[in-house]
Amino acid sequence: MKKIIAIVGHTNVGKSTLFNYLVGYRKAITDYTHGVTRDRIYCECKWRGQNFTLIDSGGYVFGTKELEQQIRAQFLLALEEASYIIFLLDILAGILPIDYKICNILQRSKKKVFIAINKIDKYKAPICDIKEVFNLGFNDLFFISSFNGIGINELLDSIFVDAMKEKTNESYKNVMNYNFRIIPRITIVGRKNVGKSSLINTLLNKKQRIVCDQPGTTRDGIEIFYKKFNFKCILIDTAGFLKNKIKSEYIEYFSFLRTTKFISSSDLCFFMLDVKIGFNKQDLKVFNFIKKKIISIIILINKCDLIKEKNELQKLKNNILKKIYPFTDVPIYFISNYTKKNIIKAFKKGINIINKQTKNISTSSFNKIMLTIIERNQFRNRNKFSIKYCVPIFQKGINQFIFFSKNPNLIPSSYKRFLEKKIRENFDLVGIPIKIKLLKLSKLKKKKNILYE
C-alpha cells in the first residue's frame, strides 16, 4: 500500500519549505508571514523506488473565527488521511504551548510520528541544550534544515526503512517525480470570492477546500485527483485574480503567478463569475489571457439562485457574448454551489470538450470544406489575396489553422473572424479558442517546418 506522509506543525515553522524541497520545485508558497498555507496541498513523489503521497497542511492555530476553525479542520483531515506524520518544530522558537497541544492530538491519532526539528543551520547553541524536545514522548527525532536539506535524507530513510535494502546507490538529487501530468487538467479560475473552492467541494461532495466569506482565502493552487462518469482528471483550484498585481503584497502576487502557470498547463478552464458583479474589465483580461493560451473555456456564472428574474440572467449572458466577440461559441452555465444547479451538466460538457480535443480532422477534408466556403464568400480584392490552401494544426486539440494566400497582409481582420465562424460551424469546436495564421503562398512548400512555429 502506498504511503501517505503529512507535514504538520504550528504556523511558520517551515512546513511548506520542507514540502517544496521534497517535491523538487516551489509548489507551495512560502513567506515569513504567519499562516500562508491554509488548505492541504498534495504531491505524488518517489523515494528510493517507492511512491508516496506528500501532504502540506496549514499550521495549527488557536482562535474561534470561521477561517481559523476551517484551517484546524484541514489540519485534522491531513492527520486522518496520512499513514505517517512529520511533526515539524522550530529550533529558534523552542517548544511552545501550541506544540504540546499538537503533540496531544498526534498521540491520540495513533499514527507513526517523526519529529523534525527545523532551522538547525541557524542555531548556534549546542544541540544538547535542547532538553524540552525529549519530553514530547516520541522516539524518532531528527535535526534538519528545510532550506538547504540538512538531515532530510536520514528522515526519509527512517520512514522508508524497507526501501533501504532494495536500492542503496540511488542518487539523492532527482529522487522526486511528479506524475500528475498524464491525465487531463481542469483549472478553475476567477476573481476572489466567486465560489471556486465551493465548486471543488461540491464536485467532491466533501469539505476538501476551505470556504470562507473573507476574500482571498485560497492562496496556493491545489491539484486534486477526480474520477467520475468514467472520466479521470486533475481539478485545480486557484487563487483569485488581482485587481492590481503591481501594488499587491508579495504573497498575493506569487499566487497570481502560480495561477497563470496553472492556466497555461491546463486542458480546460472553468471561468467563474459572480452573478451580482457580472463581467467587468478584469474578467475580460483573464478571459483573453486564457484565449491567448488557446485553452478551452466554459463560463460558469455562480450564485444564480440569488437572482429570481430570468430576464436579468439573459441580459448578463448577452453582455458577456458581446464583450468576448468573435469567440461567442463558449458554453455559459448559470450555476449555484448552494443548490448544485447545472454543476454536473457543466462538468459533463467539459468532459465532452476535452474528448473533442483529440478529434482528428484530415487536411484534405478541411481544404474541401473551407476552400468551397471561401470561393463562395470572396469580396472585392479576392484576386489579390486568393487563399489556395489551408492546414489544421494539432496541438492541445484542433485549434490552430494556417491559411496560405498570395498577399496575406491584404486580408482584413473581419475576414479572419468570418473564417473562424465558418470553422466553428462546420467542425464543432464549442468552447475551444481558434488561432488563425495567414502565410504567403510561397511558403507552402516549407509548411512542414513552420506548422509549429
Side-chain angles (χ1 to χ4, degrees), residues 25-285:
Y25 66 98
R26 292 188 67 179
K27 183 176 175 63
I29 296 176
T30 57
D31 189 64
Y32 291 112
T33 307
H34 286 265
V36 174
T37 302
R38 293 169 175 175
D39 294 284
R40 309 193 305 284
I41 305 174
Y42 296 80
C43 193
E44 296 297 310
C45 304
K46 183 180 288 187
W47 175 258
R48 298 192 183 282
Q50 291 196 24
N51 295 320
F52 69 98
T53 301
L54 189 64
I55 306 176
D56 182 18
S57 65
Y60 189 88
V61 292
F62 292 118
T64 58
K65 294 182 180 179
E66 182 184 359
L67 180 58
E68 293 169 334
Q69 290 176 351
Q70 294 205 43
I71 291 174
R72 283 200 300 274
Q74 291 289 311
F75 172 89
L76 295 174
L77 285 171
L79 291 185
E80 184 180 340
E81 293 175 334
S83 49
Y84 296 88
I85 308 294
I86 298 176
F87 179 23
L88 207 61
L89 301 172
D90 186 343
I91 196 172
L92 302 179
I95 306 300
L96 304 177
I98 194 170
D99 291 319
Y100 287 105
K101 177 68 175 177
I102 296 172
C103 184
N104 291 333
I105 296 172
L106 295 178
Q107 288 173 338
R108 289 197 301 269
S109 70
K110 297 181 180 179
K111 300 291 179 70
K112 181 66 175 177
V113 178
F114 297 82
I115 293 183
I117 303 173
N118 193 26
K119 305 180 184 179
I120 195 66
D121 54 323
K122 298 180 181 179
Y123 190 70
K124 297 180 180 179
I127 292 177
C128 59
D129 288 348
I130 311 170
K131 297 178 181 179
E132 290 183 281
V133 177
F134 299 98
N135 297 327
L136 294 176
F138 297 105
N139 297 324
D140 299 287
L141 183 65
F142 299 87
F143 294 91
I144 70 166
S145 169
S146 298
F147 184 76
N148 55 32
I150 295 174
I152 293 178
N153 294 333
E154 290 77 9
L155 172 61
L156 289 180
D157 286 343
S158 296
I159 297 174
F160 293 89
V161 64
D162 295 334
M164 290 291 292
K165 300 175 183 178
E166 299 177 6
K167 296 184 179 181
T168 56
N169 297 321
E170 189 175 349
S171 172
Y172 285 104
K173 188 175 181 180
N174 296 312
V175 295
M176 299 304 166
N177 180 29
Y178 183 69
N179 58 4
F180 265 22
R181 302 301 301 277
I182 59 176
I183 58 178
R185 299 165 63 83
I186 299 176
T187 303
I188 303 172
V189 299
R191 71 168 73 88
K192 295 179 180 180
N193 214 29
V194 295
K196 299 183 295 295
S197 297
S198 295
L199 178 62
I200 291 283
N201 290 343
T202 303
L203 288 170
L204 296 176
N205 198 26
K206 65 177 181 179
K207 293 185 178 181
Q208 177 74 27
R209 307 288 282 123
I210 292 178
V211 177
C212 183
D213 292 334
Q214 178 183 325
T217 302
T218 300
R219 287 173 168 176
D220 269 304
I222 310 294
E223 298 164 288
I224 303 161
F225 178 77
Y226 185 69
K227 181 181 179 182
K228 205 167 186 179
F229 312 114
N230 294 321
F231 180 78
K232 298 178 182 178
C233 69
I234 300 298
L235 291 175
I236 306 171
D237 184 15
T238 60
F241 267 87
L242 310 175
K243 291 182 179 179
N244 190 337
K245 62 177 181 290
I246 297 175
K247 296 182 180 180
S248 299
E249 62 180 49
Y250 166 80
I251 295 172
E252 290 190 337
Y253 180 60
F254 198 79
S255 298
F256 163 79
L257 295 179
R258 187 68 56 83
T259 299
T260 59
K261 184 178 179 181
F262 279 125
I263 290 173
S264 301
S265 64
S266 62
D267 298 279
L268 172 72
C269 281
F270 281 130
F271 182 44
M272 292 192 71
L273 304 172
D274 189 320
V275 71
K276 288 188 172 181
I277 301 174
F279 191 80
N280 57 24
K281 291 182 179 180
Q282 180 66 19
D283 294 315
L284 184 60
K285 287 181 181 179

Side-chain angles (χ1 to χ4, degrees), residues 291 294 326 366 370 387 390-391 393 399-404 411-424 433-439:
K291 182 183 176 183
I294 319 179
F366 185 72
M370 291 307 300
I387 295 175
C390 44
V391 182
I393 306 301
N399 44 30
Q400 298 185 73
F401 302 90
I402 295 179
F403 289 85
F404 294 92
I411 299 177
S413 57
S414 60
Y415 198 76
K416 287 178 68 175
R417 292 195 293 270
F418 167 78
L419 292 175
E420 178 177 335
K421 180 182 177 182
K422 292 302 178 182
I423 290 171
R424 293 188 178 282
I434 288 176
K435 183 178 180 180
I436 294 176
K437 196 172 184 179
L438 302 172
L439 296 176

